[in-house]
Amino acid sequence: MAGSTLEIKNLHVSIEGKEILKGVNLTIKGGEFHAVMGPNGTGKSTLASAIMGHPKYEITDGSVHLDGEDVLEMEVDERARAGLFLGMQYPSEISGVTTSDFLRSSINARREEGDEISLMKFIKEMDSVLDFLEIDKNMAQRYLNEGFSGGEKKRNEILQLMLLKPEIAILDEIDSGLDIDALKVVSKGINKLRDDNFGCLIITHYQRLLNYITPDHVHVMMQGRVVKSGGPELAQRLEAEGYDWIKEELGIEDETVGQNA
Ligand SMILES: Nc1ncnc2c1ncn2[C@@H]1O[C@H](COP(=O)(O)OP(=O)(O)OP(=O)(O)O)[C@@H](O)[C@H]1O
Ligand SMILES: [Mg+2]
């Protein structure tokens, strides 16, 4: 079988008793690039965090399966080992752990005991990806994300992505805070991974990322649901016209940001 399939069905998620996701359906297969767009506060990051098992997010209904395996039953580290990857909107800083050590243990966590990557091989692989992403080699020796600029953190997420080679990646606003050159480099990295064994869900606000990474499918999330899906032309229309036409088409009432209830 070529690639993995992540199947999200009728997913309902609450935070502190408040329902944020109200029945999300999405299927991502190996070889496919999906973009998710949508106004602020509609649950895009919640979707990403809930799939990865963030403890704050309570799944109240629905299912998530990776190749038929129940993801919601897996421990958080098992999800990563099963081949899921999350590039976070706000990557965390980990003081005391160098980027290089973090990457090596993440790679080894996905390998069988006794089959760990050798230090030499790891350094060779890391150096080649650092070169490819035009990241200064000294960065790998700094504590993970500590003091990194916004754009450096995002490049670092792509470094992780390229070294870990997951089956399915969810990239939450990987383009936010990137300068124009960095946007190209990050896109080049994601495009390099494109093959039948890699599926990707890209959460973004802007068409400009999708000029570099052509999505096969574009989805619009509003009020905790995927309300519309289409091809790349959907993202172009959103960029030109915003979201009002979808609200009108679907009869969705306007809501104030932060009042998602
Ligand atoms: N820990 C929390 N406590 C209370 N509410 C929360 C918490 N986390 C998220 N929310 C709320 O859930 C809703 C969805 O948030 P989420 O971060 O998923 O939105 P988003 O679609 O990613 O928005 P953006 O485009 O701004 O990144 C928002 O109304 C937010 O305020
Ligand atoms: Mg978000």
Side-chain angles (χ1 to χ4, degrees), residues 7-13 23-25 59-65 70 72:
E7 203 173 10
I8 304 158
K9 277 194 188 154
N10 189 34
L11 192 66
H12 288 249
V13 175
V24 172
N25 294 292
I59 317 284
T60 55
D61 202 0
S63 63
V64 181
H65 287 90
D70 189 344
L72 302 178

Side-chain angles (χ1 to χ4, degrees), residues 40-46 89-90 172-173 203 205:
N40 293 130
T42 49
K44 303 179 298 299
S45 296
T46 301
Q89 184 171 358
Y90 304 107
D172 194 356
E173 295 198 24
I203 298 171
H205 285 294

Side-chain angles (χ1 to χ4, degrees), residues 4-7 28 64-72 74 78-84 167-168:
S4 291
T5 300
L6 183 72
E7 203 173 10
I28 300 143
V64 181
H65 287 90
L66 182 66
D67 296 333
E69 300 276 327
D70 189 344
V71 171
L72 302 178
M74 297 178 193
E78 274 181 80
R79 298 181 198 208
R81 254 181 281 136
L84 292 175
E167 316 290 322
I168 303 279

Side-chain angles (χ1 to χ4, degrees), residues 33 186-187 190-191 194 202 208-215:
F33 279 11
V186 158
S187 306
I190 297 167
N191 281 327
R194 198 192 260 273
I202 298 163
R208 57 171 191 195
L209 177 70
L210 308 178
N211 287 334
Y212 298 107
I213 304 168
T214 312

Side-chain angles (χ1 to χ4, degrees), residues 50 53 72 78 115 162 186 197-198 250:
L72 302 178
E78 274 181 80
D115 184 36
M162 293 185 75
V186 158
N197 293 313
F198 177 65
L250 302 172

Side-chain angles (χ1 to χ4, degrees), residues 10-182:
N10 189 34
L11 192 66
H12 288 249
V13 175
S14 292
I15 303 169
E16 290 161 9
K18 183 168 134 190
E19 187 168 64
I20 306 292
L21 296 189
K22 299 167 184 173
V24 172
N25 294 292
L26 267 182
T27 300
I28 300 143
K29 294 190 177 134
E32 295 178 351
F33 279 11
H34 292 248
V36 170
M37 304 179 81
N40 293 130
T42 49
K44 303 179 298 299
S45 296
T46 301
L47 175 66
S49 297
I51 293 170
M52 292 313 291
H54 193 296
K56 222 163 43 188
Y57 300 83
E58 190 199 346
I59 317 284
T60 55
D61 202 0
S63 63
V64 181
H65 287 90
L66 182 66
D67 296 333
E69 300 276 327
D70 189 344
V71 171
L72 302 178
E73 287 293 314
M74 297 178 193
E75 299 295 332
V76 174
D77 59 329
E78 274 181 80
R79 298 181 198 208
R81 254 181 281 136
L84 292 175
F85 177 93
L86 173 61
M88 283 187 291
Q89 184 171 358
Y90 304 107
S92 346
E93 304 191 354
I94 305 183
S95 195
V97 178
T98 65
T99 301
S100 165
D101 283 346
F102 173 81
L103 289 169
R104 192 150 69 100
S105 21
S106 307
I107 291 173
N108 283 332
R110 282 200 66 194
R111 297 168 71 122
E112 297 295 325
E113 221 176 297
D115 184 36
E116 286 86 1
I117 189 168
S118 75
L119 184 58
M120 288 284 281
K121 186 159 187 278
F122 168 72
I123 290 174
K124 210 172 142 211
E125 277 189 26
M126 185 177 67
D127 280 353
S128 94
V129 181
L130 285 167
D131 275 343
F132 182 86
L133 293 174
E134 298 166 32
I135 299 175
D136 187 326
K137 289 207 171 60
N138 293 325
M139 215 168 91
Q141 301 316 321
R142 285 170 61 183
Y143 292 151
L144 186 69
N145 287 321
E146 196 177 71
F148 286 18
S149 77
E152 286 169 350
K153 284 182 183 169
K154 295 293 176 168
R155 265 190 223 226
N156 200 50
E157 295 289 295
I158 300 302
L159 170 66
Q160 286 176 41
L161 176 70
M162 293 185 75
L163 284 172
L164 290 177
K165 303 184 190 83
E167 316 290 322
I168 303 279
I170 301 172
L171 304 176
D172 194 356
E173 295 198 24
I174 199 68
D175 51 337
S176 77
L178 291 181
D179 68 47
I180 294 151
D181 292 332

